[in-house]
Amino acid sequence: MGKKYQRRVSGLVRSHLTTLLQRKASDPRLQMVTITEVSVTPDTRYADVHYSILGGPEEQAEVQAGLENAAGWLRRELGRRLRLQHTP
């Protein structure tokens, strides 16, 4: 896959994750998460998602636990919205 395709998929993943976390997530721990960057591998099977939050180490640990808990739901929702062969 080309670099242009990777950038486009990364942008789509970032925008859909932001929307899902802001509007659809029912976990209050995920309301203050900001997705800063998404990088997708050339075959679009894996994505590294970088995020930031405000707060101390306790809040960061809570948000990390909330994201790990919601990972399956987020991936399923991304798969429904993106319509790619492989959901990163």
Side-chain angles (χ1 to χ4, degrees), residues 41-53:
T41 58
D43 61 354
T44 67
R45 288 181 186 251
Y46 301 101
D48 289 328
V49 178
H50 301 273
Y51 63 93
S52 67
I53 59 166

Side-chain angles (χ1 to χ4, degrees), residues 3 13 15 19 28 32 36 39-40 42 44-45 49 51 56-58 63 70-71 73 75 78 81:
K3 293 284 184 181
V13 169
S15 66
T19 302
M32 298 302 293
T36 57
S39 57
V40 178
T44 67
R45 288 181 186 251
V49 178
Y51 63 93
E58 296 165 355
V63 169
W73 174 76
R75 185 178 173 133
L78 274 178
R81 294 167 185 251

Side-chain angles (χ1 to χ4, degrees), residues 12-79:
L12 285 172
V13 169
R14 181 174 180 244
S15 66
H16 284 296
L17 276 178
T18 302
T19 302
L20 285 170
L21 289 173
Q22 288 178 352
R23 296 186 183 151
K24 301 284 184 179
S26 60
D27 192 347
R29 299 177 290 186
L30 303 179
Q31 299 301 318
M32 298 302 293
V33 176
T34 303
I35 305 296
T36 57
E37 181 184 354
V38 176
S39 57
V40 178
T41 58
D43 61 354
T44 67
R45 288 181 186 251
Y46 301 101
D48 289 328
V49 178
H50 301 273
Y51 63 93
S52 67
I53 59 166
L54 297 176
E58 296 165 355
E59 290 87 7
Q60 290 176 358
E62 286 182 24
V63 169
Q64 178 68 29
L67 286 172
E68 288 173 1
N69 196 19
W73 174 76
L74 288 170
R75 185 178 173 133
R76 185 180 70 236
E77 290 297 319
L78 274 178

